[in-house]
Amino acid sequence: MSPLWTSTAIAHATGGKASRDFGVAGVAFDSREIAAGDLFVAMKGAQSDGHDFVARAFAAGAGGVLVERPVEGPHVLVNDSAEALVRLGVESRRRTNAKVIGVTGSAGKTSTKEALFQAFDRISMGNAHRSLKSYNNHVGVPLSLARMPEHADFGIFEMGMNHAGELSELTRMVKPNVALVTTIAPAHIEYFGTEEKIADAKGEIFEGLTGEAVAVLPYDSPHIKRLYAKASRHARRIITFGAGEGADVRAVEQVAAPGGGTLVTARLPEARLSFTVSAPGAHWVQNALAVLAVVDGLGGDLAVAGLALAELPGLPGRGARRRIALDRGGEALLIDESYNANPASVAATLAQISQEAGKRKVAVIGAMKELGALSESLHAGLAEPILQAGVDLVLLVGAETAPLGAALRNKLTLHEVADAAGAVALLPRLLKDGDVILVKGSNSVGLSRLIAELSAEKV
């Protein structure tokens, strides 16, 4: 099997010098993630220097390393490892004929990226590539590009941003054939001030469009005209998705599927498709419509994409569901949305829990970060969707949730704790047989610890 990269190709792409000939099967910048045959990129960070872990990487089976100073073992020597990784990603994009999809948005990026991968992996019979985890920043994107096999048929890349200009830089690396914006919401509004500015920043993804140059937009967004104007300057074709009557890809019928999920009939520009979305929740129907819009934009097999949507696996931190045994006997349904949170995504998952059958509905809501001056009002604004969802018990985690606690006081059973450790200590004592438990919060709150504790998976 031919290597992903040879030392000659790495040196050519990065402007570096190889110590000797070698080949690698993968790329990583975290020595703890090195697999046999990988290239370890030793980068200097704010807290540590990757060069200190070169020996660990070789011990783990690294096939070579990318370094700024000579080391023992096969390596390519460069002036700047971080810049070299970018160059490697750019070269990977240049050498491939894959159809490339770029995904951004305030919510649903990772979930939709994974759904797109499942669809295109099935369409290509196993020859699709995507960015892993949430590798969507100035380091994660070039890493994900560098990991793409030269002969892949499709590549799906998630792109995120905290500030204006960041997506512009990333999309010019990725050069997507199709660029998708999932939704616009006040995530990272601390750095932007208004949703309009967030929409403008998300619209930067269209600047890198190439080839088919298709833009896929959320029709129901109040910022659709703003996104459309930006997309029209770069895209040859614009496809909208959503619930509105004018959406190009729209669900005309949807009913609950046996055992969870949704049966959907969707209307597309030149087709009509009935399929099942295995993941429950109205937000997943919207994700599915976005997937179909992208597949349609690339002329892919819509029926095969529908089959992939019917078999989507649950994603840890993004909707994974499991039955858990309770300390006091009985069991409960745990819905793991612990990875990230903003007002739109919290409201969407609360709407989901309202449809779940259970004796009680329990919501663990962690603080939403990077909301700036709007933090108090946006946290307090979650009171209405919580009450509308019929939640019986709420556990709030983090100081930022205090305004929400004030809005909910005396309206349901309410508990408040300072941090994830407090949630881990308290929640198991509150749970009862038949509960449905939603855990949702920004990743930095650390509610994954609570998921691990409830699932008896100690980390």
Side-chain angles (χ1 to χ4, degrees):
M1 190 172 180
S2 59
L4 177 67
W5 292 99
T6 65
S7 54
T8 301
I10 296 168
H12 175 76
T14 63
K17 183 177 180 180
S19 63
R20 61 179 176 84
D21 289 339
F22 63 88
V24 295
V27 184
F29 60 75
D30 187 334
S31 62
R32 296 166 297 184
E33 296 182 357
I34 289 291
D38 278 354
L39 174 72
F40 173 57
V41 182
M43 294 190 295
K44 296 176 181 177
Q47 304 298 325
S48 62
D49 185 343
H51 293 80
D52 296 336
F53 301 96
V54 167
R56 178 187 294 180
F58 278 128
V65 296
L66 190 64
V67 290
E68 297 174 9
R69 56 179 183 259
V71 298
E72 292 294 328
H75 64 273
V76 173
L77 184 65
V78 296
N79 292 327
D80 185 320
S81 296
E83 177 59 28
L85 178 59
V86 170
R87 291 186 179 188
L88 199 62
V90 169
E91 173 63 15
S92 180
R93 180 66 182 94
R94 185 204 64 77
R95 71 181 186 175
T96 185
N97 290 318
K99 299 299 182 184
V100 172
I101 302 102
V103 183
T104 194
S106 300
K109 291 188 296 295
T110 303
S111 298
T112 304
K113 178 257 297 181
E114 290 295 324
L116 283 163
F117 171 73
Q118 295 295 330
F120 283 110
D121 201 50
R122 186 175 288 230
I123 288 170
S124 64
M125 293 184 288
N127 202 29
H129 170 79
R130 93 288 208 184
S131 48
L132 296 179
K133 301 182 180 179
S134 289
Y135 284 164
N136 62 18
N137 63 8
H138 65 287
V139 176
V141 169
L143 174 71
S144 299
L145 282 167
R147 288 173 164 178
M148 179 167 59
E150 181 176 359
H151 300 295
D153 290 329
F154 297 97
I156 305 98
F157 299 92
E158 179 181 339
M159 288 179 269
M161 58 87 198
N162 291 334
H163 298 85
E166 290 178 340
L167 266 180
S168 182
E169 181 179 348
L170 296 178
T171 193
R172 284 180 167 85
M173 280 189 230
V174 174
K175 297 185 181 298
N177 301 107
V178 180
L180 162 66
V181 176
T182 59
T183 189
I184 303 296
H188 312 301
I189 200 166
E190 175 182 5
Y191 306 116
F192 292 95
T194 67
E195 280 194 24
E196 288 78 10
K197 291 181 179 179
I198 293 173
D200 290 340
K202 293 296 185 185
E204 293 172 10
I205 193 174
F206 306 126
E207 295 173 7
L209 278 169
T210 189
E212 286 80 356
V214 177
V216 178
L217 312 180
Y219 183 82
D220 303 320
S221 171
H223 309 290
I224 182 62
K225 291 183 179 179
R226 206 174 192 93
L227 291 170
Y228 203 101
K230 177 72 173 182
S232 64
R233 297 199 289 271
H234 304 278
R236 296 179 182 177
R237 181 185 177 194
I238 297 175
I239 306 174
T240 60
F241 67 94
E245 185 67 37
D248 297 316
V249 180
R250 176 173 173 258
V252 293
E253 294 178 2
Q254 48 185 306
V255 297
T262 310
L263 299 171
V264 181
T265 298
R267 184 200 66 199
L268 293 93
E270 297 180 2
R272 192 178 178 95
L273 180 70
S274 294
F275 62 99
T276 299
V277 184
S278 63
H283 59 300
W284 260 108
V285 174
Q286 295 304 301
N287 292 347
L289 295 176
V291 169
L292 295 180
V294 172
V295 173
D296 186 63
L298 287 176
D301 192 321
L302 293 167
V304 173
L307 291 174
L309 291 167
E311 297 179 3
L312 284 174
L315 303 177
R318 296 180 173 86
R321 300 153 66 87
R322 67 192 81 180
R323 289 280 172 184
I324 60 169
L326 302 180
D327 292 345
R328 297 192 296 174
E331 66 173 23
L333 173 63
L334 176 63
I335 302 172
D336 176 12
E337 289 276 359
S338 61
Y339 187 80
N340 210 348
N342 59 55
S345 65
V346 175
T349 51
L350 286 166
Q352 172 192 332
I353 197 176
S354 71
Q355 306 298 315
E356 300 288 345
K359 294 179 181 178
R360 290 192 314 171
K361 294 179 173 62
V362 177
V364 180
I365 306 296
M368 301 180 293
K369 302 294 186 176
E370 298 180 356
L371 299 181
L374 297 177
S375 180
E376 289 191 11
S377 61
L378 291 174
H379 278 94
L382 295 178
E384 183 176 353
I386 286 173
L387 295 171
Q388 288 181 344
V391 173
D392 301 286
L393 184 154
V394 171
L395 174 60
L396 302 181
V397 185
E400 296 94 331
T401 63
L404 176 55
L408 291 174
R409 196 154 289 119
N410 301 321
K411 295 178 180 177
L412 41 62
T413 302
L414 174 67
H415 296 270
E416 299 175 79
V417 295
D419 51 28
V424 169
L426 177 60
L427 186 64
R429 303 201 308 265
L430 302 177
L431 298 177
K432 297 180 180 179
D433 180 46
D435 281 348
V436 176
I437 312 152
L438 169 66
V439 179
K440 182 74 172 173
S442 289
N443 189 43
S444 59
V445 178
L447 291 178
S448 58
R449 291 177 55 194
L450 179 61
I451 297 296
E453 180 69 25
L454 295 175
S455 307
E457 298 171 3
K458 305 297 186 280
V459 294

